[in-house]
Amino acid sequence: MAPESTGGSSMLKSLRGVVQEVSTARDLPETLAIIVRRVREEMETQVCSVYLVDPASGRYVFMATEGLNKALEGRFSLARDEGLVGYVARREEPLNLEDASAHPKFKFIEGSGEELFRSFLGVPIIHHREVLGVLVVQQRDRRRFDEDEEAFLVTMSAQLAAIIAHAGLAGSYSELRRGTRPKSGEFIGIAGAPGIGIGQVVIVSPPSDLKAVPQRACEDAEQEIALFHAAVARVQDEIAVTRQELTGRVGAEELALFDAHAMLLADRALSGEVVTRIREGNWAQGALSQVVLEHVRTFEIMEDAYIRERGADIRDLGRRVLAELQASVRETTTYPARCILIGEEIPASALANVPRSSLAGIVSVSGSGNSHVAILARAMGVPTVMGAVDLPFTALEREEVVVDGHQGRVLVSPAPEAMAQFREMAAAEQLAEEQIAANAHLPAVMQDGHAVSLLVNTGLNSEWVRSLGRGAEGVGLFRTEIPFLIRERFPTEEEQRLIYRAQLEAFAPRPVTMRTLDIGGDKALPYFPIEEENPFLGWRGIRVTLDHPEIYLAQVRAMLKASAGLGNLRVMLPMISNVSEFDEARALLVRAYSEVLEEGWAVRMPQVGVMIEVPAAVYQAGVLARRADFLSVGTNDLTQYLLAVDRNNARVANLYHAFHPAVLHALMDVVDAAHRAGKPASVCGELAGDPGAALLLVGMGYDSLSMSAPNLARVKSVLRRFTRAQAAELVRKVSRLDDARDVRAAIEDRLRQEGVVLRAGG
Ligand code: PEP
Ligand code: MG
């Protein structure tokens, strides 16, 4: 590459150009072929090659080249630390040599043609801390690649790593070279909900989303082609109608845009390509999405801004045709007997649609272990993997997969022996669950007679019934947003009253703590979108409801009316970061209460509590406790805000530790502040459902713990083995530790000493 052309915006442009072109590839061999061709061109060098690690053997396979002997592609490999490539892989650093053969690690590969090239620059391809391979450029002259060139290749490799990881289904690369895409592989994500789930994939795709369309074999090509043509015709009609309506009202230039769109749709080349893909075996929606996305990418790499814009037009038209196709086949999805839901995101409504008995597992490409879907999944006891970012999920429709919710991995069509093992594990788990559940009726009384109040977190109907069976003493957190999330509009006051009444009645006389609507963050209502750069620091929870008193008032009125004659309602306010928010919310509640009384309902003023979820509330816990009737710590949010780790972001999931000393000290301060004010304190975040953490929280003095129903029996069985003094001793011990991992290890040790069997993956 000419040095002057590497500087500033031209370097950025060529980087973008390569990355965009690479992302048009359909599979790994094509991805690699584009990389070697384009990088060689951009760097104006003679050789570019890619080596990738074969997960089966751990060796770096010579996968693609431009400039060396292509016949050797896929035919030789190097061990880690073998040859210059292995050396780059081991050191995880670039290697830039003016004379490769002079390096002690140099290994000559017979027949490669390498003897013609003197200089060598190799950079590791690293994705999620793992070396996937090595990208190499070589040239004839004995000359070190300059700094700009090295920086260019490093940047390129960092950008390509994710694309390569995505394109390469893990598995044997030699299979890939033969062009047979392996139908098996292991994909790493994050543990979302424990358990092993085995079943067939059903893809959850939001409407009109070209990227989420499942690739599915078509049964009747002619019928699919007819559907496609009909969908195109409907979009053409719509365009013609709109054009007609606007004629005379807008200028000729705007009208010409409609003509351009109509022409794009009429373009035989575009629809011809879709038809060819259908004849090759893809269904209409899959063929359309492939063709449109390829065209969009081609347009996006054009220099000319006007032409790039046409890419956006094609995408828009593609979406409209897709929407028509989807509307024409709105068949009700039939769920296999054991179904694994997979999608970029899994909305709560998708969970609600699958019959509970069929839902065997969930995989979400985005999100993390403390995303709300994961919490729901845990509550439902459905094995779940989150953040499976490299899973090529659109290609997996109806494939058999295993969801390992302990270790956070998805296995696509594993070998029969592995499958048999997973089936055994699933059966053993089921048995262990049943044994623990058999003791669910025993009280949560510790060895010294101290009784701990164990409550349940609810939101989905099915949970109440199960939790009652498992000995919950009430509800510590009813996430009221869930009934809101699975609707197409805000539920009316009366609809809400009925939902709340059912829950209050089911538990009466035991308390039910209803949290007021907590939307925002990763919980968006489809009919009330909140689009923000930083949703977890934005318009969330109490901030939204105080800005919309009509929504808040309808909700608390519904809660109050639902409690008539029962008197077991408690109200809890989420995301409080200022005392004024509590004061305002309570004042509105008092107003609603007097109105409901005036209307003749026999209601009592409920207790009102504050959730401690943000650091500000930890520091003001005393003040808040004096105003409120109780405090409840939401450790899911408190952890993310104290540690500055987005609970929904898979990339930083390894930093999200609820056992972090900062979180533990905050928890100790909150319970002390509550007790000094003479008020009870509870924990209702996921931490409370971890048996070891539950012991610790009791040791700190928490009065009650609220958790997902499946955790009740396990937590109870652990608490019953200890005295409160032993729990307090454990708190003293871990409060001296500096690191979350040490805290976890100390707790686990203590549990083992008492004979507690720990589950795989915690
Ligand atoms: C929490 O933040 O700990 C909590 C219980 O609320 P949610 O998980 O619904 O945000
Ligand atoms: Mg919260």
Side-chain angles (χ1 to χ4, degrees), residues 200 202 204 332-341 348-362 380-383 398 460 462:
Q200 276 184 309
V202 170
V204 178
T332 41
T333 317
T334 48
Y335 294 100
R338 303 208 48 80
C339 154
I340 307 283
L341 283 186
S349 53
L351 296 189
N353 288 341
V354 190
R356 176 64 193 92
S357 57
S358 316
L359 189 55
I362 298 170
M380 294 165 76
V382 181
R398 302 285 152 156
L460 290 170
S462 55

Side-chain angles (χ1 to χ4, degrees), residues 153-372:
L153 201 63
V154 167
T155 316
M156 180 65 76
S157 162
Q159 288 216 29
L160 293 176
I163 306 179
I164 292 176
H166 202 92
L169 289 176
S172 161
Y173 283 126
S174 42
E175 271 179 79
L176 283 168
R177 278 257 44 101
R178 288 198 300 272
T180 51
R181 238 164 64 103
K183 280 280 188 198
S184 62
E186 179 180 326
F187 298 88
I188 304 299
I190 292 161
I196 301 289
I198 303 172
Q200 276 184 309
V201 173
V202 170
I203 294 173
V204 178
S205 38
S208 324
D209 183 344
L210 291 161
K211 288 199 172 128
V213 173
Q215 301 305 322
R216 194 184 279 175
C218 87
E219 281 159 20
D220 180 345
E222 292 315 313
Q223 191 189 339
E224 288 294 306
I225 291 170
L227 281 175
F228 168 65
H229 285 313
V232 171
R234 280 196 296 279
V235 176
Q236 276 170 327
D237 288 349
E238 272 172 30
I239 294 175
V241 170
T242 323
R243 188 190 193 290
Q244 186 67 36
E245 284 171 359
L246 291 179
T247 307
R249 285 198 270 156
V250 298
E253 231 171 80
E254 282 81 8
L255 281 184
L257 212 61
F258 288 94
D259 298 334
H261 283 185
M263 264 160 59
L264 271 174
L265 273 180
D267 177 11
R268 296 236 168 262
L270 207 69
S271 54
E273 265 181 72
V274 177
V275 169
T276 310
R277 298 278 169 96
I278 297 176
R279 292 232 158 85
E280 282 168 5
N282 208 341
W283 67 322
Q285 295 184 29
L288 172 78
S289 73
Q290 276 185 351
V291 171
V292 170
L293 290 175
E294 280 167 29
H295 278 267
V296 168
R297 287 186 203 118
T298 315
F299 276 98
E300 275 172 353
I301 54 178
M302 300 292 182
E303 296 270 317
D304 186 299
Y306 177 81
I307 300 183
R308 275 204 307 274
E309 274 298 301
R310 302 289 71 76
D313 289 346
I314 292 191
R315 185 191 288 118
D316 184 43
L317 286 171
R319 278 201 201 117
R320 290 173 68 175
V321 177
L322 178 62
E324 288 294 339
L325 275 174
Q326 288 172 330
S328 65
V329 287
R330 190 151 294 149
E331 84 266 27
T332 41
T333 317
T334 48
Y335 294 100
R338 303 208 48 80
C339 154
I340 307 283
L341 283 186
I342 303 190
E344 178 67 39
E345 273 177 33
I346 309 286
S349 53
L351 296 189
N353 288 341
V354 190
R356 176 64 193 92
S357 57
S358 316
L359 189 55
I362 298 170
V363 181
S364 173
V365 172
S366 62
S368 185
N370 283 290
S371 302
H372 283 90

